Amino acid sequence: MQINSIKDQVSAEEWQLRTDLAACYRLVAAYGWSDLVFTHISARIPGPEHHFLINPYGLMFDEITASSLVKVDQQCNKVIDSPFPVNPAGFVIHSAVHAAREDVQCVLHTHTRAGVAVSAQKCGVLPLSQQSTFVLASLAYHDYEGVAFREDEKPRLQADMGQANFLVLRNHGLLTVGKSIADAFLSMYTFEATCQIQLAAQAGGELVHVNPLIVKGVAEAMRVQTGGLGGAFVWPSLIRKLDRTDESYKL
């Protein structure tokens, strides 16, 4: 696809955010978490305007570039002209989270097979793995209300999520938030692994649960494991992984 660069139309800060978000879309595709064109990753642009970047609706995640990302306001109206359409219905969940969580820069939502499967289990996420302990330390649930395009669902979703960083959308999928794109991605990597491990463990014999006291101390364990950097600790290596195969996301 021929996509004209808009690098000279935006600030250096916004361009870096665009590059990181495009990289995140490519990584989600590379790890097999995309659902054709039907989920979204959004990022808040710093500043008082409450503008966001979101994917051009209809592009596969491995096609998305920094320039093709669409800048929208809180109602999903385009702020910069773009030849690509956006999906206002798909932005409902994202705008609800961004409106309630000033601490959040990025919202990442997936419909993976493992994620949807665990979201349909009455037990929800079980303490079966080291990965699950990180999720359980900041986990919330929101019941399914049909395809999420109605504005009246927003207050219930916001109340259910509260200050959690991991959200199970019942019968629907997974959602993570982060103070940065890197944080949201690392959280989703952990969330997805948690669900895959749970399904694999349930297919075997009797399950052994992690001691609840370990879950209570997991925040400090995560800080130590990443040197206090969170997602920023692993993000440079993920960018190198992308750059070894295809740097077109930077265009």
Side-chain angles (χ1 to χ4, degrees):
M1 296 179 64
Q2 182 61 43
I3 298 171
N4 295 325
S5 175
I6 65 165
K7 186 175 183 178
D8 60 352
Q9 300 177 40
V10 301
S11 68
E13 184 178 32
E14 179 178 330
W15 184 252
Q16 184 60 57
L17 191 68
R18 284 175 171 272
T19 303
D20 284 341
L21 185 57
C24 189
Y25 274 102
R26 297 293 185 97
L27 287 164
V28 166
Y31 280 96
W33 305 341
S34 58
D35 182 18
L36 296 180
V37 302
F38 296 114
T39 58
H40 305 276
I41 313 167
S42 61
R44 184 202 305 271
I45 299 172
E49 298 88 358
H50 292 282
H51 291 163
F52 306 90
L53 296 173
I54 197 164
N55 51 313
Y57 197 46
L59 266 63
M60 301 289 280
F61 283 15
D62 61 3
E63 295 180 300
I64 290 174
T65 65
S67 293
S68 66
L69 289 163
V70 184
K71 185 194 287 191
V72 298
D73 61 19
Q74 287 180 302
Q75 288 72 48
C76 208
N77 299 308
K78 294 180 185 178
V79 174
I80 294 179
D81 187 42
S82 169
F84 301 104
V86 292
N87 179 19
F91 192 58
V92 166
I93 290 174
H94 294 254
S95 62
V97 176
H98 283 297
R101 295 285 299 274
E102 288 290 331
D103 61 314
V104 165
Q105 180 182 66
C106 181
V107 178
L108 202 170
H109 173 42
T110 62
H111 296 159
T112 64
R113 183 170 296 186
V116 176
V118 171
S119 80
Q121 294 186 339
K122 190 173 183 178
C123 63
V125 176
L126 296 172
L128 301 178
S129 63
Q130 178 169 271
Q131 289 85 346
S132 72
T133 64
F134 298 118
V135 173
L136 289 165
S138 187
L139 177 63
Y141 294 85
H142 176 65
D143 286 341
Y144 188 62
E145 298 187 21
V147 177
F149 61 83
R150 300 188 311 276
E151 290 288 319
D152 69 320
E153 185 177 355
K154 285 185 176 182
R156 294 184 291 278
L157 189 150
Q158 291 166 336
D160 287 339
M161 184 162 196
Q163 294 302 304
N165 293 325
F166 299 86
L167 180 67
V168 171
L169 295 159
R170 289 287 194 184
N171 310 100
H172 182 174
L174 308 178
L175 183 145
T176 60
V177 300
K179 294 180 180 180
S180 67
I181 292 167
D183 283 347
F185 181 86
L186 179 58
S187 290
M188 185 56 76
Y189 183 89
T190 306
F191 210 176
E192 176 64 20
T194 293
C195 293
Q196 290 186 19
I197 292 166
Q198 178 166 320
L199 295 176
Q202 288 171 324
E206 185 176 356
L207 301 175
V208 177
H209 286 206
V210 173
N211 188 319
L213 293 177
I214 293 176
V215 176
K216 290 184 179 180
V218 78
E220 175 63 12
M222 175 60 87
R223 188 192 69 78
V224 171
Q225 190 172 17
T226 64
L229 297 176
F233 181 74
V234 70
W235 191 249
S237 64
L238 290 165
I239 295 300
R240 292 194 299 271
K241 175 184 175 68
L242 280 181
D243 289 350
R244 283 194 295 271
T245 56
D246 185 359
E247 297 187 51
S248 63
Y249 68 93
K250 298 177 181 179
L251 298 177

